[in-house]
């Protein structure tokens, strides 16, 4: 098996990042589309001032997430064939992280908006807090807590009598 070159590594990193962004982009676009149509639906005129404020936060954060998650494509177009893949990967990583942060705000705001519309405000705040904790657990706490996940497994495999040494 041949060793990956530096250029191949940056190319692979960029391809991996684009695949991740495709997944996030679909989710944020669906949420953004829902939020864009909401004011035109029946019953929106019954929303309170608080709910309208929450709606604006959800809408603007979805727009921010969309802009950040799609921005690596525009950046790639601007730097195409200039040999600046490392810069592109670092930029795309920052934009993906920022996009996920905006997406978190938008998701939690959307949950708050809907739950406040149909339930008591105290329950809506509680459910929104649980939603925020849920997202933060799976998007931040677990990934960062397990950054070295595979390293323990590799050490165990090397010491294991059933290891194939491959």
């Amino acid at each position: 098996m041949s060793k990956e070159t530096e250029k191949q590594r940056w190319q692979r990193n960029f391809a991996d990042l684009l695949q991740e962004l495709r997944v996030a982009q679909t989710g944020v676009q669906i949420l953004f589309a829902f939020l864009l149509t909401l004011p035109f639906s029946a019953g929106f005129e019954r929303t309170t001032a608080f709910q309208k404020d929450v709606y604006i936060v959800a809408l603007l954060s979805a727009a921010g997430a969309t802009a950040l998650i799609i921005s690596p494509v525009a950046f790639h177009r601007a730097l195409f064939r200039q040999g600046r893949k490392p810069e592109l990967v670092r930029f795309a990583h920052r934009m993906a992280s920022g996009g996920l942060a905006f997406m978190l705000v938008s998701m939690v705001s959307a949950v708050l908006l809907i739950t406040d519309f149909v339930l008591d405000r105290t329950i809506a705040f509680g459910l929104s807090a649980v939603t925020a904790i849920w997202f933060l657990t799976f998007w931040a706490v677990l990934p960062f807590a397990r950054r070295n996940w595979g390293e323990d497994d590799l050490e165990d495999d090397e010491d294991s009598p059933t290891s194939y040494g491959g």
Side-chain angles (χ1 to χ4, degrees):
M1 185 185 281
S2 65
K3 183 134 172 97
E4 182 178 53
T5 68
E6 181 85 3
K7 185 176 180 179
Q8 289 169 328
R9 184 172 62 84
W10 284 113
Q11 184 61 38
R12 181 182 47 80
N13 286 342
F14 185 64
D16 289 349
L17 222 125
L18 284 182
Q19 187 59 34
E20 293 168 8
L21 289 172
R22 283 184 190 103
V23 172
Q25 182 181 9
T26 301
V28 77
Q29 284 177 324
I30 291 168
L31 177 60
F32 193 35
F34 162 74
L35 290 168
L36 286 172
T37 62
L38 195 58
F40 304 104
S41 62
F44 191 78
E45 67 277 351
R46 292 193 327 252
T47 56
T48 65
F50 172 75
Q51 291 165 346
K52 287 178 182 168
D53 290 344
V54 172
Y55 168 77
I56 294 300
V57 169
L59 179 70
L60 294 178
S61 57
T66 301
L68 290 175
I69 288 171
I70 294 173
S71 69
V73 174
F75 204 82
H76 181 259
R77 287 291 94 212
L79 297 182
F80 188 65
R81 294 186 188 239
Q82 292 187 8
R84 295 167 61 186
K85 196 68 74 175
E87 181 182 350
L88 179 59
V89 170
R90 285 189 287 274
F91 173 83
H93 167 71
R94 286 192 296 275
M95 294 303 103
S97 298
L100 287 174
F102 273 115
M103 194 169 171
L104 171 69
V105 171
S106 187
M107 295 285 232
V108 173
S109 298
V111 168
L112 178 57
L113 173 64
I114 302 302
T115 55
D116 189 66
F117 189 78
V118 298
L119 301 169
D120 180 68
R121 183 155 298 159
T122 304
I123 295 170
F125 275 122
L127 290 173
S128 299
V130 168
T131 301
I133 291 167
W134 184 258
F135 274 90
L136 286 170
T137 298
F138 287 98
W139 286 8
V141 175
L142 290 176
F144 285 103
R146 300 303 297 177
R147 281 185 113 163
N148 301 325
W149 212 334
E151 291 178 12
D152 293 340
D153 294 340
L154 289 175
E155 289 173 12
D156 291 344
D157 285 347
E158 291 170 359
D159 296 336
S160 170
T162 60
S163 173
Y164 296 103

